């Protein structure tokens, strides 16, 4: 069981009116609680493939974040539409991250399947993500934090369900997460700068 600080509200419905601002506040809380050493390289690992609509959430978020986060010296995005991180290269990608970056703090992002009433919800959690669990694949767990988006119903014919997921929902989730991320990192870096310069 996790004995570190538990943040109560950790999920939002992307169809709610204030989804982006609410999710950015949740992300800021998680960064302030768990990413305590801003000297560490922050890696956003977006897992999935653009060959399946439901599984394209990760690469779409990576694509949207990639350019916007280049102004930060120690924030790196892995997994985009151009270079997705998926089942076949996940192990190599994880090894690359841990051998290349300075004490990496990894936030792993992936789509998942779930209950009908939870479709459209995005959740942040502490600890690693277990990619491929929804489609019965044994893949390595990854992440200090994880973000999952429930794109469709789980429980049967997972591959077909992922293929038949609406792109509209996946795009809405990708927009919400990427916009919230950009604001949260901006706000977090401003707060960190103030603390380091002695202003509170």
């Amino acid at each position: 069981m996790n004995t570190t600080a538990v943040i109560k509200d950790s999920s939002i419905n992307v169809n709610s009116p204030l989804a982006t601002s609410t999710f950015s506040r949740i992300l800021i809380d998680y960064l302030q609680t768990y990413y305590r050493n801003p000297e560490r390289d922050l890696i956003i690992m977006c897992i999935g493939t653009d060959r399946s609509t439901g599984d394209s959430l990760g690469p779409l978020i990576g694509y949207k974040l990639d350019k916007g986060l280049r102004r930060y010296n120690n924030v790196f995005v892995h997994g985009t539409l151009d270079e997705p991180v998926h089942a076949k290269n996940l192990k190599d990608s994880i090894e690359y991250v841990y051998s290349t970056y300075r004490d990496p703090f990894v936030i792993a992002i992936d789509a998942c399947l779930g209950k009908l009433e939870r479709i459209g919800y995005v959740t942040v959690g502490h600890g690693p993500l277990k990619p491929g669990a929804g489609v019965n694949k044994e893949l390595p767990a990854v992440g200090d934090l994880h973000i999952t988006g429930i794109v469709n119903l789980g429980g049967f014919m997972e591959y077909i369900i992922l293929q038949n997921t609406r792109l509209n929902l996946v795009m809405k989730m990708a927009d919400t997460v990427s916009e919230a991320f950009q604001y949260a990192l901006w706000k977090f870096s401003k707060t960190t700068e103030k603390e380091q310069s002695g202003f509170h």
Side-chain angles (χ1 to χ4, degrees), residues 112-175:
C112 65
L113 300 171
K115 293 178 179 172
L116 184 63
E117 66 271 17
R118 297 292 291 174
I119 293 171
Y121 275 80
V122 180
T123 302
V124 188
H126 179 239
L129 178 75
K130 192 81 178 69
V135 286
N136 301 314
K137 278 190 177 176
E138 274 299 317
L139 295 171
V142 59
D144 297 279
L145 296 178
H146 62 269
I147 296 173
T148 53
I150 299 178
V151 296
N152 214 329
L153 187 63
F156 65 102
M157 300 196 301
E158 276 82 1
Y159 283 105
I160 293 168
I161 294 285
L162 280 170
Q163 295 282 2
N164 287 287
T165 296
R166 289 200 64 202
L167 182 60
N168 178 49
L169 174 64
V170 178
M171 285 298 283
K172 198 177 279 187
M173 291 174 124
D175 285 341

Side-chain angles (χ1 to χ4, degrees), residues 61-198:
I61 291 170
Y63 167 77
K64 288 170 178 290
L65 286 176
D66 193 31
K67 288 194 180 100
L69 299 184
R70 284 182 189 168
R71 64 189 138 141
Y72 299 101
N73 295 328
N74 66 330
V75 179
F76 304 92
V77 176
H78 279 263
T80 61
L81 291 172
D82 282 338
E83 294 181 25
V85 171
H86 46 64
K88 288 180 179 163
N89 66 9
L90 178 63
K91 189 169 177 286
D92 290 343
S93 300
I94 293 169
E95 284 171 4
Y96 175 82
V97 163
Y98 284 97
S99 62
T100 306
Y101 298 105
R102 184 179 46 176
D103 190 16
F105 183 91
V106 179
I107 300 176
I109 303 176
D110 198 7
C112 65
L113 300 171
K115 293 178 179 172
L116 184 63
E117 66 271 17
R118 297 292 291 174
I119 293 171
Y121 275 80
V122 180
T123 302
V124 188
H126 179 239
L129 178 75
K130 192 81 178 69
V135 286
N136 301 314
K137 278 190 177 176
E138 274 299 317
L139 295 171
V142 59
D144 297 279
L145 296 178
H146 62 269
I147 296 173
T148 53
I150 299 178
V151 296
N152 214 329
L153 187 63
F156 65 102
M157 300 196 301
E158 276 82 1
Y159 283 105
I160 293 168
I161 294 285
L162 280 170
Q163 295 282 2
N164 287 287
T165 296
R166 289 200 64 202
L167 182 60
N168 178 49
L169 174 64
V170 178
M171 285 298 283
K172 198 177 279 187
M173 291 174 124
D175 285 341
T176 302
V177 173
S178 57
E179 286 166 23
F181 234 117
Q182 296 197 56
Y183 178 76
L185 279 174
W186 174 80
K187 189 84 176 160
F188 178 75
S189 65
K190 288 282 172 216
T191 308
T192 307
E193 279 169 24
K194 273 187 183 175
E195 286 171 358
Q196 287 174 344
S197 59

